[in-house]
């Protein structure tokens, strides 16, 4: 008998994301990107209660960057309002449709 092929994605595969994300920054160190997300979530628990924090690895020329992002916003107005609230607590951010 032949071995069954694996249908499950690799453990590191990212789930598909749709809607809008809030990006707080990008850094050359994934742990720094995670620290940005942790800090934002700890200072804005209610606002980000349903948001999913994640990092996204990107190549910019020879540099590898890790974007610090919150996803889970289905509506542009919701994401813009959340970004505005984050700005009032000292975070830079912008909204992007994905």
């Amino acid at each position: 008998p032949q071995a069954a092929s694996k249908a499950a994605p690799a453990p590191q595969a990212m789930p598909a994301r749709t809607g809008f994300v809030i990006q707080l920054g990008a850094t050359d160190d994934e742990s720094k990107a995670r620290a940005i997300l942790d800090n934002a979530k700890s200072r804005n628990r209610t606002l980000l209660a349903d948001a999913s924090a994640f990092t996204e690895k990107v190549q910019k020329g020879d540099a590898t960057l890790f974007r610090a992002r919150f996803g889970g916003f289905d509506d542009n107005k919701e994401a813009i309002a959340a970004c505005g609230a984050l700005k009032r607590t000292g975070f830079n951010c912008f909204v992007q449709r994905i």
Side-chain angles (χ1 to χ4, degrees), residues 17-54:
R17 297 183 191 279
T18 59
F20 295 87
V21 295
I22 298 173
Q23 182 168 318
L24 278 72
T27 179
D28 62 353
D29 184 333
E30 187 173 15
S31 64
K32 289 179 188 174
R34 291 198 180 281
I36 292 168
L37 295 169
D38 291 344
N39 188 20
K41 193 136 191 172
S42 71
R43 291 174 58 186
N44 297 276
R45 287 196 189 284
T46 303
L47 173 71
L48 299 172
D50 296 329
S52 60
F54 67 98

Side-chain angles (χ1 to χ4, degrees), residues 6-93:
K6 292 182 181 177
Q12 294 179 334
M14 292 289 292
R17 297 183 191 279
T18 59
F20 295 87
V21 295
I22 298 173
Q23 182 168 318
L24 278 72
T27 179
D28 62 353
D29 184 333
E30 187 173 15
S31 64
K32 289 179 188 174
R34 291 198 180 281
I36 292 168
L37 295 169
D38 291 344
N39 188 20
K41 193 136 191 172
S42 71
R43 291 174 58 186
N44 297 276
R45 287 196 189 284
T46 303
L47 173 71
L48 299 172
D50 296 329
S52 60
F54 67 98
T55 62
E56 181 179 50
K57 183 178 176 179
V58 292
Q59 282 297 130
K60 293 288 184 185
D62 292 336
T64 300
L65 297 174
F66 296 90
R67 294 174 175 158
R69 292 181 156 188
F70 284 101
F73 300 95
D74 296 325
D75 178 277
N76 187 38
K77 289 181 183 178
E78 176 190 14
I80 289 171
C83 184
L86 283 164
K87 287 179 179 180
R88 287 190 293 279
T89 59
F91 293 92
N92 291 317
C93 60

